Amino acid sequence: MEHKTPTDYGTFVVEILARMKRNSHPFDQKMLRQCIDLSSSYLITDATMNPDGGTASWYVGFSRLVDVVVALHARDELELETLSAASKACSECWTVAGTWRGLEDCREKVRSVAAKLKKLLDENGRTYKGERVYAP
């Protein structure tokens, strides 16, 4: 049987963010959104290919991406599409964590990430700078 190297969302995200920081100014939010869009897939692959540390590596990657979203907001550079992608990723990861056996504990991690995003919303909790954000 062929040995498969486990996936590691945390390492993937750190490498991509380092490359983006070096190569793009302003920050490439399209690439950031693509990384965010992979979060639920990586939750599954990290957890199944590395049962001992996969959910931890997934959380490192996902939380770092959301930290970048928060930083872009602080610099007044955050695009609505990026915030919506992060919100959608939270929803997808929540569903995966509740559907796949053994991932139930990841719901708390998703909740902590979503709480960071919720702080960025307008007072009504549904919009960002007056524009509607993705909500399941």
Side-chain angles (χ1 to χ4, degrees):
M1 184 172 181
E2 185 180 329
H3 176 71
K4 299 284 184 191
T5 304
T7 59
D8 187 323
Y9 194 43
T11 299
F12 169 75
V13 166
V14 168
E15 290 173 358
I16 292 294
L17 290 176
R19 198 173 323 146
M20 288 170 62
K21 187 176 179 182
R22 268 193 317 270
N23 298 333
S24 66
H25 187 64
F27 199 83
D28 185 352
Q29 291 191 49
K30 181 179 180 186
M31 177 71 75
L32 177 62
R33 288 189 295 272
Q34 290 173 340
C35 291
I36 290 169
D37 289 346
L38 294 172
S39 61
S40 61
S41 296
Y42 267 101
L43 175 54
I44 295 167
T45 58
D46 281 13
T48 57
M49 295 182 78
N50 180 4
D52 295 328
T55 58
S57 67
W58 163 79
Y59 181 66
V60 166
F62 195 39
S63 62
R64 289 232 173 137
L65 291 171
V66 171
D67 288 344
V68 171
V69 169
V70 171
L72 288 168
H73 166 77
R75 294 178 1 191
D76 199 31
E77 296 175 10
L78 180 60
E79 297 171 4
L80 175 66
E81 193 175 356
T82 303
L83 182 57
S84 285
S87 176
K88 182 178 180 189
C90 284
S91 176
E92 291 172 351
C93 290
W94 180 268
T95 300
V96 167
T99 304
W100 283 70
R101 186 184 346 240
L103 296 183
E104 298 85 7
D105 293 345
C106 291
R107 282 195 157 183
E108 280 306 313
K109 294 175 179 175
V110 173
R111 185 177 280 129
S112 72
V113 167
K116 292 179 187 180
L117 296 175
K118 188 170 177 90
K119 291 178 184 177
L120 307 182
L121 299 177
D122 297 338
E123 244 180 65
N124 64 22
R126 293 186 195 105
T127 59
Y128 180 70
K129 297 184 178 181
E131 298 290 326
R132 193 134 180 89
V133 175
Y134 173 87

